[in-house]
Amino acid sequence: MTAQFFESAPDGVCIVERDYRYRRANPIYARRWGMPAERIVGMHVADLLGVDSFRAHLKPNLDRCFAGEEVLFDWSSESSPRRYFAVSYSPLRSDRRRRGRARNPA
C-alpha cells in the first residue's frame, strides 16, 4: 500500500538518505526535474538542486529532519527558469515507532 501511494502521489515525493543522496523519487518528482527517477536515485541533492541552495536551505533542513523533526519551508531554485517550492520533510520511522505514535494521538 505504501509503495502504491508513493508512486501515485499527486506531488513530487522523494526519499533522501543521511548521505544526502536520493534513495527513491516518484514520477512527479522526476518529471519536475526532467529526468527519469532511475537517474535521480543515487545522485547527491546538491548535484540536482544546486550547491548554493543545498548549503543555504536544503542541508540545514534535511539535518533537522534527520534529527527527527518535521520541517516545512519555502525556497526557490537557482535554475532558469526559476522554480518556487513549498517543501515538507518528514523523518521515516520504523513500523514500531509509527504504531506507537498512532496509539497516542496529540
Side-chain angles (χ1 to χ4, degrees):
M1 181 76 161
T2 302
Q4 183 180 17
F5 173 78
F6 183 88
E7 294 299 321
S8 64
D11 294 317
V13 180
C14 65
I15 297 174
V16 175
E17 295 283 349
R18 291 181 183 269
D19 63 358
Y20 310 105
R21 294 191 178 278
Y22 290 96
R23 179 173 146 203
R24 197 166 172 194
N26 77 349
I28 300 296
Y29 193 87
R31 189 176 317 127
R32 286 217 172 102
W33 295 104
M35 64 181 71
E38 297 80 23
R39 185 169 160 210
I40 293 172
V41 171
M43 288 179 75
H44 193 280
V45 173
D47 293 337
L48 184 63
L49 304 175
V51 173
D52 291 339
S53 289
F54 174 73
R55 287 183 183 150
H57 305 287
L58 304 173
K59 184 182 182 307
N61 286 305
L62 281 167
D63 289 344
R64 289 172 52 203
C65 180
F66 294 148
E69 186 179 340
E70 300 274 340
V71 181
L72 303 169
F73 67 101
D74 297 324
W75 72 280
S76 61
S77 70
E78 300 167 357
S79 64
S80 181
R82 184 166 287 238
R83 297 177 182 169
Y84 297 91
F85 300 91
V87 181
S88 64
Y89 291 156
S90 298
L92 293 178
R93 295 180 171 88
S94 69
D95 286 340
R96 188 177 78 219
R97 284 187 66 191
R98 275 190 225 136
R99 283 193 303 270
R101 230 178 144 176
R103 283 191 297 250
N104 293 315

